[in-house]
Amino acid sequence: MDLDQQTNEVYIERFRRKYELMKDKINSRLEDFDSIDKNDKSKLYEELAFCFLTPQSKAKSADIAIRSLIKNNLLFSGKASEIEPHLKGIRFHITKSKRLEDSRPIFDQFNFDFTNIPLLRDEIANSFKGIGMKEASHFLRNIGFGKEIAILDRHILKNLKRVGVIDEIPKTISRKKYLEMETKMSNFCNKIGISMAELDLLFWSEETGEILK
């Protein structure tokens, strides 16, 4: 076994031990996601809006912004100029305010067919400007459909490299590359007996010290 393989094995064993310590907390959080009413379109939009705000911003900042928009009755009807002041701590807040406003009529007409999650993810990513494969995966995980899809953000990619699943973190990720890395992550999860949704939260806790969403 060469040095890189030894390093990978050290990280894999570390994550296994951490999972055993945290699995109850992780699965409790996943149960929270599962319990969301998929017929409640206001809740679905709330989770989608959260995913509009997370790219290049902290999840906690995005959650605070969403809570503020809901409190001020702006999430479902506010104009971009009204939304913008509530996106404190959110990068590209002007652009994202406009995207939230523009997303509503698309969302109202969107058909959420949960019988084929990979296909639904593609449809979400193709329909909403500002939502790509990663954000669509994040949205679906947050409403209880994260078992067969991966949220390949920088935290996840960093840890996938640590355990030897990927050789390097790509600067840009096409849909084809995303699916290739997702397959590698899925195979790794099957090998170690931890689901992708569980591993995602485990990696997140490694980087942020908490389990949010």
Side-chain angles (χ1 to χ4, degrees):
M1 184 182 294
D2 62 27
L3 183 59
D4 286 343
Q5 288 176 310
Q6 290 177 347
T7 301
N8 295 343
E9 289 298 325
V10 167
Y11 274 113
I12 290 170
E13 185 56 33
R14 172 181 167 182
F15 284 123
R16 280 197 178 109
R17 291 197 302 268
K18 187 169 185 178
Y19 172 72
E20 288 302 318
L21 293 172
M22 298 187 65
K23 64 181 178 181
D24 290 343
K25 187 175 182 180
I26 287 171
N27 284 298
S28 176
R29 192 72 185 99
L30 291 174
E31 286 172 7
D32 291 339
F33 298 148
D34 289 340
S35 68
I36 289 176
D37 183 357
K38 282 54 167 189
N39 294 314
D40 183 348
K41 293 207 73 173
S42 63
K43 184 61 179 175
L44 293 184
Y45 184 72
E46 177 185 328
E47 294 298 337
L48 184 65
F50 171 81
C51 294
F52 270 104
L53 303 185
T54 53
Q56 299 190 48
S57 297
K58 293 181 179 179
K60 185 172 286 187
S61 297
D63 190 56
I64 290 171
I66 294 297
R67 301 277 77 76
S68 180
L69 291 173
I70 291 173
K71 181 180 178 180
N72 290 277
N73 298 314
L74 294 171
L75 182 61
F76 306 108
S77 59
K79 295 185 180 299
S81 58
E82 297 172 310
I83 292 171
E84 184 185 328
H86 295 270
L87 303 193
K88 296 177 181 178
I90 302 298
R91 291 199 67 190
F92 311 116
H93 58 284
I94 296 175
T95 298
K96 290 179 180 180
S97 298
K98 185 68 167 62
R99 284 180 175 170
L100 284 179
E101 181 182 1
D102 292 344
S103 71
R104 292 194 202 109
I106 300 170
F107 177 84
D108 289 341
Q109 299 299 317
F110 193 88
N111 177 35
F112 287 94
D113 181 355
F114 297 113
T115 59
N116 186 328
I117 297 305
L119 177 60
L120 177 58
R121 177 175 62 180
D122 280 341
E123 291 174 347
I124 292 170
N126 291 331
S127 298
F128 295 95
K129 192 172 183 180
I131 297 288
M133 292 286 285
K134 177 186 71 177
E135 293 77 28
S137 299
H138 197 174
F139 164 71
L140 288 165
R141 194 284 307 277
N142 285 0
I143 61 170
F145 297 102
K147 292 182 177 64
E148 56 182 308
I149 55 177
I151 308 166
L152 298 179
D153 67 6
R154 65 185 185 279
H155 297 308
I156 304 305
L157 294 172
K158 177 181 177 181
N159 284 292
L160 289 178
K161 186 174 184 295
R162 280 176 172 168
V163 297
V165 173
I166 60 175
D167 296 325
E168 61 181 2
I169 300 173
K171 293 181 179 179
T172 59
I173 305 177
S174 65
R175 179 182 179 278
K176 180 181 178 182
K177 185 66 175 177
Y178 194 102
L179 294 176
E180 288 174 356
M181 291 192 294
E182 182 176 66
T183 297
K184 289 180 179 180
M185 182 174 175
S186 177
N187 292 338
F188 176 72
C189 287
N190 291 333
K191 177 182 175 182
I192 64 173
I194 302 175
S195 74
M196 284 203 285
E198 290 173 315
L199 190 63
D200 175 84
L201 292 181
L202 185 66
F203 282 168
W204 258 97
S205 71
E206 177 76 6
E207 294 301 312
T208 65
E210 62 181 337
I211 297 173
L212 187 58
K213 66 176 183 177

